[in-house]
């Protein structure tokens, strides 16, 4: 069994007390706890080793440290989740049985939406009937279903108050257009629930496609998260088609965002993943002309620089030869007189 230090305990306590944390915030806390001063990312080996040791230790008490992605903004979060969904685990919640049933009705309405919009209107949420939830009520001897009194008297005002509490506790979230979506704690805790209830998964990351884009072909059930689609289409060589049926993916804002991301990579001087290894012919011709002109300038400059010492050497040689000629004439005259 791995031995956890106070640093591991501090990370666990942070997630338990604060709830799911964004990746950059969690990395900042880890940097402080571990004494690291440089910037970190999730690929750091020491960070990965810490999480692995924590995960092994939490497994003994049926807890798990998970990383997950919020399907509305694409941000990565870290959190601790209870893997046991029994009656004893339900004792740890502050919500009443009608409130839990109401929350279950909301997530079912959102997850089973065939348009994968990931949300419902506030009016639709308030109109959810608790007696329609599975497992609520019991059969009387006459065969009729009886609904508990607490469910029948769960008023609209109580539902509205419950929605506010669920949003505050991040089980639900408020979307700017006035609708209700799933919160980060729902994405953290409900991974197994999504799979057991046959919520269609994203074709790229294999996580539940609660908020996703749909293939336009009628008999194709492909769903892809917005952030997965953006990453896929930002690759230059990637075809803009459905990976399952090959149908052309409808153009829209996702293509514009992919182009913007590609433009940002070029502005930073970073080649995209599928950028051609060799430059274009026009670029090569331009480069050759530039190199040729540089060579011409260099050669011309070299010739000018070489010619100057040569001319100077010629002048120096000419000046040096005059005394030699004079000395020869003087020697010849002296010989004649003898």
């Amino acid at each position: 069994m791995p031995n956890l230090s106070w640093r591991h305990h501090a990370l666990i306590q942070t997630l338990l007390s604060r709830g799911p944390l964004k990746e950059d915030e969690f990395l900042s806390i880890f940097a402080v706890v571990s004494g690291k001063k440089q910037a970190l990312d999730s690929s750091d080996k020491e960070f990965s080793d810490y999480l692995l040791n924590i995960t092994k230790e939490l497994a003994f008490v049926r807890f798990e440290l998970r990383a997950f992605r919020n399907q509305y903004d694409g941000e990565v979060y870290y959190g601790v989740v209870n893997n046991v969904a029994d009656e004893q685990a339900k004792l740890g919640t502050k919500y009443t049985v009608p409130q839990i049933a109401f929350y279950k009705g909301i997530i079912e309405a959102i997850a089973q939406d065939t348009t994968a919009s990931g949300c419902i209107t506030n009016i639709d949420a308030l109109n959810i009937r608790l007696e329609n939830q599975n497992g609520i009520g019991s059969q009387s001897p006459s065969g009729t279903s009886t609904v508990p009194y607490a469910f029948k008297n769960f008023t609209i005002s109580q539902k509205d108050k419950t929605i506010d509490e669920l949003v505050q506790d991040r089980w639900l979230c408020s979307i700017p257009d006035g609708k209700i979506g799933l919160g980060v704690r729902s994405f953290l805790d409900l991974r197994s629930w999504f799979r057991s209830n046959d919520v269609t998964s994203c074709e790229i990351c294999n996580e539940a496609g609660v908020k996703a884009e749909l293939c336009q072909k009628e008999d194709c059930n492909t769903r892809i998260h917005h952030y997965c689609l953006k990453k896929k289409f930002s690759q230059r060589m990637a075809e803009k088609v459905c990976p399952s049926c090959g149908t052309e993916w409808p153009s829209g804002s996702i293509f514009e965002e992919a182009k913007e991301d590609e433009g940002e990579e070029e502005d930073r001087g970073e080649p995209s993943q599928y950028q051609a290894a060799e430059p274009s012919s026009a670029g090569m011709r331009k480069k050759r002309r530039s190199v040729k002109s540089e060579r011409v300038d260099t050669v011309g400059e070299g010739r000018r620089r070489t010619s100057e010492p040569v001319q100077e050497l010629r002048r120096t040689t000419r000046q040096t030869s005059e005394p030699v000629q004079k000395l020869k004439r003087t020697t010849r005259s002296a010989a004649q007189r003898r």
Side-chain angles (χ1 to χ4, degrees):
M1 187 168 72
N3 295 321
L4 300 186
S5 66
W6 68 267
R7 304 178 192 275
H8 299 87
H9 296 161
L11 292 175
I12 297 173
Q13 183 61 36
T14 299
L15 293 175
L16 291 176
S17 60
R18 300 188 186 185
L21 294 176
K22 283 187 177 181
E23 184 177 42
D24 55 352
E25 186 178 358
F26 188 56
L27 284 170
S28 299
I29 295 173
F30 171 77
V32 174
V33 170
S34 61
K36 283 183 169 290
K37 297 182 179 180
Q38 68 273 21
L40 296 173
D41 56 34
S42 57
S43 62
D44 183 81
K45 186 179 185 304
E46 185 176 352
F47 177 70
S48 301
D49 291 341
Y50 265 74
L51 298 191
L52 180 60
N53 290 335
I54 291 175
T55 301
K56 290 180 179 179
E57 187 73 10
L58 290 177
F60 289 96
V61 290
R62 305 298 295 275
F63 276 79
E64 181 184 350
L65 174 60
R66 287 181 183 173
F68 64 97
R69 194 179 292 272
N70 184 3
Q71 297 188 17
Y72 298 95
D73 58 14
E75 294 283 350
V76 176
Y77 288 77
Y78 289 86
V80 175
V81 61
N82 179 15
N83 285 327
V84 181
D86 54 11
E87 294 300 321
Q88 289 73 23
K90 294 179 182 179
L91 296 175
T93 180
K94 68 177 184 178
Y95 295 102
T96 63
V97 175
Q99 286 179 318
I100 294 175
F102 180 55
Y103 167 69
K104 182 180 178 182
I106 292 176
I107 63 174
E108 286 180 350
I110 294 175
Q112 294 173 1
D113 179 19
T114 56
T115 64
S117 62
C119 60
I120 59 174
T121 64
N122 191 69
I123 298 298
D124 290 337
L126 294 175
N127 287 329
I128 291 175
R129 301 178 64 87
L130 302 188
E131 57 267 27
N132 294 334
Q133 300 304 311
N134 295 331
I136 294 179
S138 59
Q139 294 292 331
S140 64
S142 61
T144 60
S145 176
T146 60
V147 178
Y149 179 80
F151 291 88
K152 288 183 177 180
N153 291 273
F154 197 66
T155 63
I156 295 295
S157 61
Q158 289 176 312
K159 291 179 178 179
D160 192 46
K161 182 180 178 180
T162 299
I163 290 175
D164 291 339
E165 292 181 10
L166 290 169
V167 170
Q168 183 177 359
D169 293 339
R170 298 197 292 174
W171 291 103
L172 298 177
C173 70
S174 295
I175 298 176
D177 57 1
K179 296 182 179 180
I180 299 171
L182 298 185
V184 292
R185 295 186 70 177
S186 294
F187 287 116
L188 171 65
D189 280 43
L190 300 180
R191 178 181 293 174
S192 59
W193 185 89
F194 290 141
R195 292 173 179 172
S196 62
N197 285 270
D198 297 327
V199 178
T200 306
S201 300
C202 171
E203 190 70 21
I204 304 299
C205 68
N206 203 33
E207 291 292 335
V210 177
K211 173 72 169 113
E213 307 284 340
L214 302 179
C215 177
Q216 297 301 299
K217 192 175 181 180
E218 292 185 1
D219 58 347
C220 183
N221 296 322
T222 298
R223 294 186 183 187
I224 303 178
H225 295 131
H226 184 83
Y227 45 85
C228 292
L229 201 61
K230 181 179 176 182
K231 183 178 180 180
K232 176 179 176 61
F233 287 166
S234 64
Q235 300 168 356
R236 287 187 176 182
M237 302 301 293
E239 293 183 325
K240 309 301 188 293
V241 297
C242 173
S244 297
C245 65
T247 303
E248 183 177 0
W249 204 270
S251 60
S253 60
I254 188 67
F255 289 91
E256 298 300 326
E257 293 178 12
K259 290 180 181 178
E260 290 177 2
D261 289 347
E262 185 177 331
E264 290 176 359
E265 288 181 352
E266 292 178 353
D267 292 339
R268 293 193 302 265
E270 299 175 359
S272 60
Q273 183 177 358
Y274 289 91
Q275 184 174 352
E278 297 181 358
S280 62
S281 57
M284 287 295 293
R285 288 195 297 269
K286 183 176 180 181
K287 185 175 181 180
R288 290 194 191 102
R289 287 197 298 268
S290 176
V291 172
K292 185 176 180 180
S293 62
E294 290 178 0
R295 288 178 178 175
V296 170
D297 292 341
T298 304
V299 172
E301 184 66 22
R303 287 176 178 175
R304 288 192 295 271
R305 290 179 180 178
T306 303
S307 62
E308 291 176 358
V310 171
Q311 296 295 334
E312 183 67 25
L313 177 60
R314 288 175 179 175
R315 288 194 295 269
T316 303
T317 304
R318 190 180 302 112
Q319 293 173 0
T320 306
S321 64
E322 291 177 357
V324 173
Q325 296 294 333
K326 186 176 181 180
L327 178 61
K328 288 182 178 180
R329 287 196 297 271
T330 303
T331 304
R332 190 180 301 110
S333 299
Q336 290 175 356
R337 284 196 297 271
R338 290 192 188 95

